[in-house]
Amino acid sequence: MAIPEQPASAAGFTHAAARTPLQRLQHLLHSNPSLVPLLVLIASVIVFAILAGPRFFSPLALTLILQQVAVVGIVGAAQSLVILTAGIDLSVGAIMVVCSVIMGQFTFRYGLPPGLSILCGLAAGTFFGFLNGVMVARLRLPPFIVTLGMWQILLAANFLYSRNETIRSQDIEAQAPILQLFAAKITLAGADFTLGTLFMIALMLLLAFVLRHTAWGRHVYAVGDDPQAAELSGINVKATLISVYMIAGFICAMAGWVLIGRIGSVSPNSGQQANIESITAVVIGGISLFGGRGSILGTLFGALIVGVFTLGLRLLGADAQWTYLLIGALIIGAVAVDQWIRRVTA
Amino acid sequence: MKSLLATTAAVGVIALTGALPGAPSSASAADQIKACLITKTDSNPFFAKMRDGAVARAKELGIDLKTFAGKYDGDNEAQVSAIETCMFEGVNGILMSPNDSAAIVPMVKKARDAGILFITLDSPLDPLDAADATFATDNFKAGDLIGKWAAGKLGDKAADARIGFLDLNASQVAVDYLRDQGFMQGFGIDVKDPKVIGDESDKRIVGHAYTDGAEEGGRKAMETILQIDPNVNVVYTINEPAAAGAYEALKAVGREKDVLLVSVDGGCPGVKNVAAGIIGATSQQYPMRMTALGMDAIKAYVETGKKPEPTPGKDFFDTGTALITDQPVDGVESLDSKKGAELCWG
């Protein structure tokens, strides 16, 4: 089963009558991998709405969660693409922050027009992704190692190049407001939607569509499921892998731009946790770390679950450590469910 | 395995230095003085400036200086191996800003037993007398100054202030509780246990949230506090990046004009934010002075064998702190942002 979310196979239907309710649930989840995180998300919103009341369950608070997860969600989208190919990208956070620093420093150190600096940042992100992709696809190095190395290299380069200097929000506002573009917001019935939030949602929907309905999308799943079989069926595995890492790099650079909008300033100290947070969102979102299975919308739900727990528990006055503890339990639970679902095809 | 190797290496170094008659402390004056600086991380501009100050002073004094840093805040292992390397080099003195005040103590003892002058910078060891001397900002006083200023600025309204605290993280390390509790004392809040954040019962406290000392965390923490009580009107922040993030969150809800924001650090971007009226007041500290004085102390120790003395009335050497504000309050001594900009770092 390389392609998810398509009707169960004909064989599945003939045996349908003989299934227990549990087996039916297993099959339902197998064909709709983002259903589990969606249900967990809805349940957690309801629980916190009851416990914390209107402080939590208000348009403002709920859209605040969206704002808080926007950056991680976007990085998570990039991470999802890579994980779907049975890879992993530890350099996503480093690419993001280095690209935001490029956008800022090119403008403020070299006096480039901010629009051009942004393009340079986006190009740089794509290029870093390209390097990752070439090393994974052409040199056949394990993605974990390649991106572990890239993470260290980019983070060090980030601190060396930026000289640890932060560009102040007020200077950006005065001289290069376009860098803060994603902070712009639309207020609707008490809800605050920033452009960054809307971009995250649009990106997720676009990728979900592309992955499901284009040849390239199906190739991504096929490569992740079984690269040999994909190769035999005529898919250019190497080109697909390189394209995935390049797109992931580009998306991380976009996340860097959104990040500037979120925190106002350009800070080389941002995004230190983004790689782990994005993997967390992907895993809770039900995408299989073994590749080839899962829906990118699951990542959106996964990121939102983390956001709901973080804000909800803080509003209840709980120690922040409880958030990490529960997220840890969710990660293990999600992988256990994934293993259980996998047995459908076994 | 790693720790085993580290221990073996340490034992080896001890044996070596112990066996050699010409141990570092008795090096002849003709030999070049050697010193090490070990900072917490390279990512924080505070420590980057510390390094700059040390390098400049070492050059003036003709000291051979090697610098090391942890990889992340809390990275104890890297500092252990840095001390080992310095002992191996046979340095005369080590300046260190410890990542783990208690865990590093046995290693510090080994260095001192080998005749090395050991001075901690910025954060004291636990126990404090595990080092030969501590050069630090009086963080409690730094907090006290901004607390007094905020109370003075509010006047009668201080009695029904709504105060949010943007702290560092859940571990409640010394710098975190000292500044937080210092602020409370200055503002006129009963701190109860001065080493514990959050045991107070003053009704004016809205809540505490964690920032990780960075813009991203500052924004998120401020959003949480606003969610707990939208009428918050005084906000204490652990440092200026956190304050900058908090300001973005306040701006997003249109509260940036009527919330009093105070901070600690005195970095150049922070002082600019004081000048722009974004931060009401900040307590400035002097990292370059810490390392410059440290270099002087090592030179004096090699030449005369004398160890530095603590500031009278304190158990450490106070490298000074000053309140920077453009809105001075009666009874609280302060410098304006112009003077602050001359003295700022980072």
Side-chain angles (χ1 to χ4, degrees):
Chain A
M1 281 295 288
I3 316 295
E5 296 190 44
Q6 61 173 203
S9 65
F13 280 115
T14 36
H15 294 297
R19 279 184 196 154
T20 65
L22 198 63
Q23 281 174 323
R24 256 181 305 196
L25 177 68
Q26 201 178 6
H27 273 264
L28 180 69
L29 296 179
H30 187 258
S31 43
N32 298 286
S34 56
L35 207 57
V36 182
L38 180 61
L39 292 175
V40 173
L41 176 62
I42 294 171
S44 54
V45 169
I46 293 172
V47 169
F48 282 115
I50 294 167
L51 293 177
R55 271 186 314 169
F56 176 83
F57 197 69
S58 68
L60 188 66
L62 295 179
T63 45
L64 178 62
I65 294 172
L66 273 175
Q67 289 177 40
Q68 293 184 335
V69 305
V71 172
V72 169
I74 294 165
V75 175
Q79 187 70 263
S80 305
L81 289 176
V82 174
I83 288 182
L84 280 174
T85 67
I88 195 142
D89 194 340
L90 299 175
S91 64
V92 284
I95 294 181
M96 169 178 82
V97 66
V98 113
C99 292
S100 77
V101 164
I102 288 175
M103 291 174 192
Q105 294 292 356
F106 276 29
T107 307
F108 285 84
R109 198 183 295 174
Y110 310 132
L112 254 55
L116 191 61
S117 301
I118 289 166
L119 286 179
C120 291
L122 295 176
T126 316
F127 176 69
F128 300 139
F130 172 74
L131 291 180
N132 278 337
V134 167
M135 284 187 273
V136 168
R138 298 255 170 226
L139 304 182
R140 296 186 180 278
L141 300 176
F144 185 92
I145 303 299
V146 167
T147 58
L148 180 69
M150 190 60 86
W151 171 24
Q152 306 293 334
I153 292 167
L154 290 182
L155 211 57
N158 165 49
F159 289 128
L160 290 173
Y161 174 68
S162 68
R163 301 176 199 142
N164 302 315
E165 283 167 6
T166 298
I167 303 172
R168 288 167 68 241
S169 174
Q170 287 64 36
D171 295 338
I172 295 174
E173 204 176 316
Q175 295 168 46
I178 193 173
L179 285 172
Q180 295 176 339
L181 175 72
F182 286 100
K185 67 180 180 186
I186 302 158
T187 306
L188 261 180
D192 270 350
F193 292 96
T194 60
L195 214 50
T197 312
L198 297 175
F199 174 76
M200 171 187 67
I201 295 170
L203 176 73
M204 290 286 188
L205 293 176
L206 174 74
L207 286 175
F209 175 83
V210 168
L211 283 168
R212 207 165 355 154
H213 296 291
T214 67
W216 179 82
R218 285 163 185 273
H219 292 174
V220 170
Y221 276 104
V223 167
D225 195 45
D226 188 343
Q228 276 86 28
E231 188 88 63
L232 288 174
S233 61
I235 294 172
N236 187 340
V237 173
K238 286 178 182 159
T240 308
L241 277 176
I242 293 175
S243 70
V244 163
Y245 282 93
M246 284 175 75
I247 292 171
F250 175 80
I251 294 173
C252 291
M254 285 299 297
W257 189 5
V258 173
L259 177 73
I260 301 175
R262 166 87 186 144
I263 62 175
S265 45
V266 172
S267 162
N269 292 312
S270 308
Q272 306 274 311
Q273 300 292 318
N275 53 359
I276 296 301
E277 284 171 352
S278 70
I279 295 170
T280 302
V282 170
V283 170
I284 294 179
I287 294 185
S288 172
L289 283 175
F290 303 101
R293 204 180 57 260
S295 160
I296 200 156
L297 292 179
T299 300
L300 174 60
F301 303 142
L304 285 170
I305 290 169
V306 176
V308 165
F309 272 74
T310 309
L311 186 68
L313 285 170
R314 287 305 290 150
L315 290 183
L316 292 178
D319 193 307
Q321 299 298 346
W322 286 105
T323 317
Y324 309 133
L325 191 148
L326 284 169
I327 299 297
L330 271 179
I331 291 173
I332 295 173
V335 176
V337 169
D338 176 55
Q339 286 289 19
W340 179 63
I341 299 171
R342 271 162 68 87
R343 278 185 229 130
V344 159
T345 46
Chain B
M1 191 61 200
K2 201 171 177 187
S3 63
L4 183 69
L5 279 176
T7 325
T8 335
V11 170
V13 170
I14 297 298
L16 194 69
T17 44
L20 289 173
S25 59
S26 56
S28 70
D31 285 0
Q32 195 184 20
I33 301 171
K34 288 188 198 167
C36 275
L37 171 71
I38 309 168
T39 49
K40 282 192 186 184
T41 66
D42 265 339
S43 56
N44 186 333
F46 183 82
F47 298 114
K49 283 298 148 183
M50 228 183 212
R51 194 183 52 208
D52 292 352
V55 169
R57 193 74 178 156
K59 214 172 199 176
E60 282 172 36
L61 300 176
I63 296 176
D64 174 17
L65 175 72
K66 298 214 162 40
T67 63
F68 301 81
K71 279 205 87 170
Y72 53 90
D73 211 321
D75 184 1
N76 184 51
E77 278 183 47
Q79 294 196 321
V80 168
S81 37
I83 296 180
E84 284 167 357
T85 312
C86 297
M87 287 170 69
F88 195 75
E89 288 270 328
V91 298
N92 305 91
I94 298 178
L95 305 178
M96 185 180 74
S97 194
N99 267 324
D100 188 326
S101 304
I104 196 79
V105 167
M107 197 62 222
V108 173
K109 187 172 180 311
K110 283 180 196 164
R112 290 180 67 192
D113 288 349
I116 296 172
L117 179 72
F118 205 101
I119 299 174
T120 41
L121 305 175
D122 183 47
S123 328
L125 289 178
D126 181 12
L128 183 125
D129 61 7
D132 289 304
T134 304
F135 289 7
T137 304
D138 187 339
N139 278 306
F140 192 83
K141 187 182 163 206
D144 183 67
L145 281 172
I146 51 176
K148 282 205 177 89
W149 179 86
K153 184 91 182 102
L154 286 178
D156 295 342
K157 281 190 243 154
D160 15 72
R162 303 293 301 149
I163 314 164
F165 289 84
L166 304 194
D167 297 318
L168 184 60
N169 57 30
S171 341
Q172 300 216 358
V173 290
V175 58
D176 201 9
Y177 67 69
L178 287 172
R179 289 180 186 177
D180 176 290
Q181 304 281 293
F183 172 88
M184 288 195 190
Q185 176 178 290
F187 197 85
I189 292 170
D190 177 8
V191 300
K192 303 218 166 137
D193 185 342
K195 283 190 164 188
V196 177
I197 298 174
D199 64 342
E200 305 80 15
S201 55
D202 197 303
K203 295 241 176 339
R204 293 174 292 181
I205 298 174
V206 171
H208 298 262
Y210 304 131
T211 61
D212 292 321
E215 288 86 350
E216 253 173 315
R219 169 146 197 185
K220 204 165 180 179
M222 189 68 240
E223 286 167 346
T224 305
I225 295 285
L226 281 167
Q227 223 34 54
I228 296 172
D229 184 354
N231 296 318
V232 60
N233 63 355
V234 178
V235 174
Y236 152 88
T237 56
I238 178 74
N239 65 7
E240 287 148 5
Y247 185 80
E248 292 300 312
L250 290 168
K251 206 169 73 176
V253 293
R255 294 286 318 279
E256 76 274 20
K257 294 266 182 278
D258 47 79
V259 173
L260 216 49
L261 201 56
V262 293
S263 197
V264 177
D265 253 1
C268 298
V271 172
K272 274 188 195 161
N273 282 345
V274 171
I278 289 159
I279 297 175
T282 191
S283 285
Q284 187 166 48
Q285 46 177 352
Y286 302 102
M288 294 175 83
R289 194 185 292 167
M290 281 177 205
T291 43
L293 289 170
M295 286 294 136
D296 295 349
I298 291 173
K299 187 163 191 273
Y301 174 67
V302 172
E303 286 168 356
T304 68
K306 262 179 72 180
K307 293 180 179 180
E309 295 288 326
T311 305
K314 291 179 182 172
D315 47 10
F316 62 96
F317 187 96
D318 185 354
T319 51
T321 179
L323 186 74
I324 309 292
T325 182
D326 287 338
Q327 308 159 55
V329 161
D330 281 346
V332 193
E333 210 176 301
S334 62
L335 306 174
D336 64 12
S337 62
K338 226 185 223 159
K339 185 73 190 154
E342 286 169 24
L343 300 170
C344 74
W345 48 269

Coordinates of all heavy atoms in Angstrom, one line a residue, chain A residues 31-94:
Chain A
S31 N -6.5 3.7 6.2 CA -6.8 4.5 5.0 C -6.9 6.0 5.3 O -6.9 6.8 4.4 CB -8.0 4.0 4.3 OG -9.0 3.7 5.3
N32 N -7.1 6.4 6.6 CA -7.1 7.8 7.0 C -6.2 8.1 8.1 O -6.5 8.3 9.2 CB -8.5 8.2 7.4 CG -9.6 8.0 6.3 OD1 -9.6 8.7 5.4 ND2 -10.3 6.9 6.5
P33 N -4.9 8.2 7.8 CA -3.9 8.2 8.8 C -4.0 9.5 9.7 O -3.4 9.5 10.8 CB -2.5 8.2 8.1 CG -2.9 8.5 6.7 CD -4.3 8.1 6.4
S34 N -4.6 10.6 9.2 CA -4.6 11.8 10.0 C -5.8 11.8 10.9 O -6.1 12.8 11.7 CB -4.6 13.0 9.1 OG -5.7 13.0 8.2
L35 N -6.6 10.7 11.0 CA -7.8 10.7 11.8 C -7.5 10.6 13.3 O -8.1 11.3 14.1 CB -8.7 9.4 11.4 CG -10.2 9.6 11.7 CD1 -10.7 10.7 10.9 CD2 -10.9 8.3 11.3
V36 N -6.5 9.9 13.7 CA -6.1 9.8 15.1 C -5.7 11.1 15.6 O -6.3 11.6 16.6 CB -5.0 8.7 15.3 CG1 -4.7 8.6 16.8 CG2 -5.4 7.4 14.7
P37 N -4.7 11.8 15.0 CA -4.4 13.1 15.6 C -5.5 14.1 15.6 O -5.7 14.9 16.5 CB -3.2 13.6 14.7 CG -3.2 12.7 13.5 CD -3.8 11.4 13.9
L38 N -6.4 14.0 14.6 CA -7.6 14.9 14.5 C -8.5 14.7 15.8 O -8.9 15.6 16.4 CB -8.3 14.8 13.2 CG -9.6 15.7 13.1 CD1 -9.1 17.1 13.1 CD2 -10.3 15.4 11.8
L39 N -8.7 13.4 16.0 CA -9.6 13.1 17.2 C -8.9 13.5 18.5 O -9.6 14.1 19.4 CB -9.9 11.6 17.2 CG -10.8 11.1 16.1 CD1 -10.9 9.5 16.1 CD2 -12.1 11.7 16.1
V40 N -7.6 13.3 18.6 CA -6.9 13.7 19.8 C -7.0 15.2 20.0 O -7.2 15.7 21.1 CB -5.4 13.2 19.8 CG1 -4.6 13.8 21.0 CG2 -5.3 11.7 19.8
L41 N -6.8 15.9 18.9 CA -6.9 17.4 18.9 C -8.2 17.9 19.4 O -8.3 18.7 20.3 CB -6.6 17.9 17.5 CG -6.7 19.5 17.3 CD1 -5.7 20.2 18.2 CD2 -6.5 19.9 15.8
I42 N -9.3 17.3 18.8 CA -10.6 17.7 19.2 C -10.9 17.4 20.6 O -11.4 18.3 21.4 CB -11.7 17.0 18.3 CG1 -11.5 17.6 16.8 CG2 -13.1 17.3 18.8 CD1 -12.4 16.8 15.8
A43 N -10.5 16.2 21.1 CA -10.7 15.8 22.5 C -9.9 16.8 23.4 O -10.5 17.2 24.4 CB -10.2 14.4 22.7
S44 N -8.7 17.1 23.0 CA -7.9 17.9 24.0 C -8.5 19.4 24.0 O -8.5 20.0 25.1 CB -6.4 18.0 23.6 OG -6.2 18.3 22.2
V45 N -9.0 19.9 22.9 CA -9.6 21.2 22.9 C -10.9 21.1 23.8 O -11.1 22.0 24.7 CB -10.0 21.6 21.5 CG1 -10.9 22.9 21.5 CG2 -8.8 21.9 20.6
I46 N -11.6 20.1 23.7 CA -12.8 20.0 24.6 C -12.5 19.9 26.0 O -13.0 20.6 26.9 CB -13.7 18.7 24.2 CG1 -14.3 18.9 22.8 CG2 -14.8 18.5 25.2 CD1 -15.0 17.7 22.2
V47 N -11.5 19.1 26.4 CA -11.0 18.9 27.8 C -10.6 20.3 28.3 O -11.0 20.7 29.4 CB -9.9 17.8 27.9 CG1 -9.3 17.9 29.3 CG2 -10.5 16.5 27.6
F48 N -9.7 21.0 27.6 CA -9.2 22.2 28.1 C -10.3 23.3 28.1 O -10.3 24.2 29.0 CB -8.0 22.7 27.3 CG -6.8 22.0 27.6 CD1 -6.1 21.2 26.7 CD2 -6.2 22.1 28.9 CE1 -4.9 20.5 27.0 CE2 -5.0 21.4 29.3 CZ -4.4 20.7 28.3
A49 N -11.3 23.2 27.2 CA -12.4 24.1 27.2 C -13.2 24.0 28.5 O -13.7 25.0 29.1 CB -13.3 23.9 26.0
I50 N -13.4 22.7 28.9 CA -14.1 22.5 30.2 C -13.3 22.9 31.4 O -13.8 23.6 32.3 CB -14.5 21.0 30.3 CG1 -15.4 20.6 29.2 CG2 -15.1 20.6 31.7 CD1 -15.6 19.1 29.0
L51 N -12.0 22.6 31.4 CA -11.2 22.9 32.6 C -10.8 24.3 32.7 O -10.8 24.9 33.8 CB -9.9 22.0 32.5 CG -10.1 20.5 32.7 CD1 -8.7 19.8 32.5 CD2 -10.7 20.2 34.0
A52 N -10.5 25.0 31.6 CA -10.0 26.3 31.6 C -11.0 27.4 31.3 O -10.8 28.6 31.4 CB -8.7 26.5 30.8
G53 N -12.2 26.9 30.7 CA -13.3 27.8 30.4 C -12.9 28.8 29.3 O -12.1 28.5 28.4
P54 N -13.6 30.0 29.3 CA -13.5 30.9 28.2 C -12.1 31.5 27.9 O -11.8 32.0 26.9 CB -14.5 32.0 28.5 CG -14.7 31.9 30.0 CD -14.5 30.4 30.3
R55 N -11.3 31.5 29.0 CA -9.9 32.0 28.8 C -9.2 31.2 27.7 O -8.4 31.7 26.9 CB -9.1 31.9 30.1 CG -9.2 33.0 31.0 CD -8.2 32.9 32.1 NE -8.3 31.5 32.7 CZ -7.5 31.0 33.5 NH1 -6.4 31.7 33.9 NH2 -7.6 29.8 34.0
F56 N -9.6 29.9 27.7 CA -9.0 29.0 26.6 C -9.9 28.9 25.4 O -9.4 29.0 24.3 CB -8.7 27.6 27.2 CG -8.2 26.6 26.2 CD1 -6.9 26.5 25.9 CD2 -9.1 25.8 25.5 CE1 -6.4 25.7 24.9 CE2 -8.7 24.9 24.6 CZ -7.3 24.8 24.3
F57 N -11.2 28.7 25.7 CA -12.1 28.4 24.5 C -12.7 29.7 24.0 O -13.8 30.0 24.2 CB -13.2 27.4 24.9 CG -13.8 26.8 23.7 CD1 -13.2 26.0 22.9 CD2 -15.2 27.2 23.4 CE1 -13.8 25.4 21.8 CE2 -15.8 26.6 22.3 CZ -15.1 25.7 21.5
S58 N -11.8 30.6 23.4 CA -12.3 31.8 22.8 C -11.6 31.9 21.5 O -10.6 31.4 21.3 CB -11.9 33.0 23.7 OG -10.5 33.1 23.7
P59 N -12.3 32.7 20.6 CA -11.6 32.8 19.2 C -10.2 33.3 19.3 O -9.3 32.9 18.6 CB -12.5 33.8 18.5 CG -13.8 33.8 19.2 CD -13.5 33.4 20.7
L60 N -10.0 34.3 20.3 CA -8.7 34.9 20.4 C -7.7 33.8 20.9 O -6.6 33.7 20.3 CB -8.7 36.0 21.4 CG -7.4 36.9 21.5 CD1 -7.2 37.6 20.1 CD2 -7.5 37.9 22.6
A61 N -8.0 33.1 21.9 CA -7.1 32.1 22.4 C -6.8 31.0 21.4 O -5.6 30.6 21.2 CB -7.6 31.5 23.7
L62 N -7.8 30.5 20.7 CA -7.6 29.5 19.7 C -6.8 29.9 18.5 O -5.9 29.2 18.0 CB -9.0 28.9 19.3 CG -9.8 28.2 20.4 CD1 -11.1 27.7 19.9 CD2 -9.0 27.0 21.0
T63 N -7.0 31.2 18.1 CA -6.2 31.6 17.0 C -4.8 32.0 17.5 O -3.8 32.0 16.7 CB -6.8 32.9 16.3 OG1 -7.3 33.8 17.3 CG2 -7.9 32.4 15.4
L64 N -4.7 32.3 18.8 CA -3.3 32.5 19.4 C -2.5 31.2 19.2 O -1.3 31.2 18.9 CB -3.5 32.9 20.8 CG -2.2 33.1 21.6 CD1 -1.4 34.3 21.0 CD2 -2.5 33.5 23.0
I65 N -3.2 30.1 19.5 CA -2.5 28.8 19.4 C -2.0 28.6 17.9 O -0.8 28.2 17.7 CB -3.4 27.6 19.8 CG1 -3.7 27.7 21.3 CG2 -2.7 26.3 19.5 CD1 -4.7 26.7 21.8
L66 N -2.9 29.0 17.0 CA -2.4 28.9 15.6 C -1.2 29.7 15.3 O -0.3 29.3 14.7 CB -3.6 29.4 14.7 CG -4.6 28.4 14.3 CD1 -5.7 29.1 13.5 CD2 -4.0 27.3 13.4
Q67 N -1.2 30.9 15.9 CA 0.0 31.8 15.7 C 1.2 31.2 16.3 O 2.3 31.2 15.8 CB -0.2 33.2 16.4 CG -1.2 34.0 15.7 CD -1.5 35.3 16.4 OE1 -0.5 35.9 17.0 NE2 -2.7 35.8 16.5
Q68 N 1.0 30.6 17.5 CA 2.2 30.0 18.2 C 2.8 28.8 17.5 O 3.9 28.5 17.7 CB 1.8 29.7 19.7 CG 1.5 30.9 20.5 CD 1.2 30.6 21.9 OE1 0.8 29.5 22.3 NE2 1.4 31.6 22.8
V69 N 1.9 28.1 16.8 CA 2.5 26.9 16.1 C 2.8 27.1 14.6 O 3.3 26.2 14.0 CB 1.5 25.7 16.2 CG1 1.1 25.4 17.6 CG2 0.3 25.9 15.3
A70 N 2.6 28.4 14.1 CA 2.8 28.6 12.7 C 4.2 28.2 12.3 O 4.4 27.5 11.3 CB 2.5 30.1 12.4
V71 N 5.2 28.7 13.0 CA 6.6 28.4 12.5 C 6.9 26.9 12.6 O 7.4 26.4 11.6 CB 7.6 29.2 13.4 CG1 9.0 28.8 13.1 CG2 7.4 30.7 13.1
V72 N 6.6 26.3 13.7 CA 6.8 24.9 13.8 C 6.0 24.1 12.8 O 6.5 23.1 12.2 CB 6.5 24.4 15.2 CG1 6.5 22.9 15.3 CG2 7.5 24.9 16.2
G73 N 4.8 24.5 12.5 CA 3.9 23.9 11.5 C 4.6 23.9 10.1 O 4.6 22.9 9.4
I74 N 5.1 25.1 9.8 CA 5.7 25.2 8.4 C 6.9 24.3 8.3 O 7.1 23.6 7.4 CB 6.0 26.7 8.1 CG1 4.7 27.5 8.1 CG2 6.8 26.8 6.9 CD1 4.9 29.0 8.1
V75 N 7.8 24.4 9.4 CA 9.0 23.6 9.4 C 8.5 22.1 9.4 O 9.1 21.2 8.7 CB 9.8 23.9 10.6 CG1 11.0 22.9 10.7 CG2 10.4 25.3 10.5
G76 N 7.4 21.8 10.1 CA 6.9 20.4 10.1 C 6.5 20.0 8.8 O 6.6 18.8 8.4
A77 N 6.0 20.9 7.9 CA 5.6 20.5 6.6 C 6.8 20.0 5.8 O 6.8 19.0 5.1 CB 4.9 21.7 5.9
A78 N 7.9 20.8 5.9 CA 9.1 20.4 5.3 C 9.6 19.0 5.8 O 10.0 18.1 5.0 CB 10.2 21.4 5.5
Q79 N 9.6 18.9 7.1 CA 10.0 17.6 7.8 C 9.1 16.5 7.3 O 9.6 15.4 7.0 CB 9.8 17.8 9.3 CG 10.4 16.7 10.1 CD 11.9 16.6 10.1 OE1 12.5 15.8 9.3 NE2 12.6 17.4 10.9
S80 N 7.8 16.7 7.1 CA 6.9 15.6 6.7 C 7.3 15.1 5.3 O 7.3 13.9 5.1 CB 5.5 16.2 6.5 OG 5.0 16.7 7.7
L81 N 7.6 16.0 4.4 CA 8.0 15.6 3.1 C 9.2 14.6 3.1 O 9.3 13.6 2.5 CB 8.4 16.8 2.2 CG 7.3 17.7 1.8 CD1 7.8 18.9 1.0 CD2 6.3 16.9 0.9
V82 N 10.2 15.0 3.9 CA 11.4 14.2 4.0 C 11.1 12.9 4.7 O 11.6 11.8 4.3 CB 12.5 15.0 4.8 CG1 13.8 14.1 5.1 CG2 12.9 16.3 4.0
I83 N 10.3 12.9 5.8 CA 10.0 11.7 6.5 C 9.2 10.7 5.6 O 9.3 9.5 5.7 CB 9.4 12.0 7.8 CG1 10.4 12.6 8.8 CG2 8.8 10.7 8.5 CD1 10.0 12.9 10.2
L84 N 8.4 11.3 4.8 CA 7.6 10.4 3.8 C 8.5 9.6 2.9 O 8.1 8.6 2.5 CB 6.6 11.3 3.0 CG 5.3 11.7 3.7 CD1 4.5 12.6 2.8 CD2 4.5 10.5 4.1
T85 N 9.7 10.2 2.7 CA 10.7 9.4 1.8 C 11.5 8.5 2.7 O 12.5 8.0 2.2 CB 11.6 10.3 1.0 OG1 12.5 11.0 2.0 CG2 10.9 11.4 0.2
A86 N 11.1 8.2 3.9 CA 11.8 7.4 4.9 C 13.1 8.0 5.3 O 14.0 7.3 5.7 CB 12.1 6.0 4.3
G87 N 13.2 9.4 5.1 CA 14.4 10.1 5.6 C 14.1 10.8 6.9 O 13.1 10.6 7.5
I88 N 15.0 11.7 7.3 CA 14.8 12.6 8.4 C 15.6 13.8 8.2 O 16.7 13.7 7.5 CB 15.1 11.9 9.8 CG1 14.5 12.7 10.9 CG2 16.6 11.8 10.0 CD1 14.0 11.9 12.0
D89 N 15.2 15.0 8.6 CA 15.9 16.2 8.4 C 16.2 16.9 9.7 O 15.3 17.5 10.2 CB 15.2 17.1 7.4 CG 16.2 18.2 6.9 OD1 17.2 18.5 7.5 OD2 15.9 18.8 5.8
L90 N 17.4 16.7 10.2 CA 17.8 17.4 11.4 C 18.2 18.8 11.2 O 18.4 19.6 12.2 CB 18.9 16.6 12.2 CG 18.5 15.2 12.5 CD1 19.8 14.5 13.1 CD2 17.4 15.2 13.5
S91 N 18.3 19.3 10.0 CA 18.9 20.6 9.7 C 17.8 21.6 9.5 O 18.1 22.8 9.2 CB 19.8 20.5 8.5 OG 19.1 20.2 7.3
V92 N 16.5 21.2 9.6 CA 15.4 22.2 9.3 C 15.5 23.5 10.0 O 15.4 24.6 9.5 CB 14.0 21.5 9.4 CG1 13.7 20.6 8.3 CG2 13.9 20.8 10.8
G93 N 15.7 23.4 11.4 CA 15.8 24.6 12.2 C 16.9 25.5 11.9 O 16.8 26.7 11.8
A94 N 18.1 24.8 11.6 CA 19.3 25.6 11.2 C 19.1 26.3 9.9 O 19.5 27.4 9.7 CB 20.5 24.6 11.2

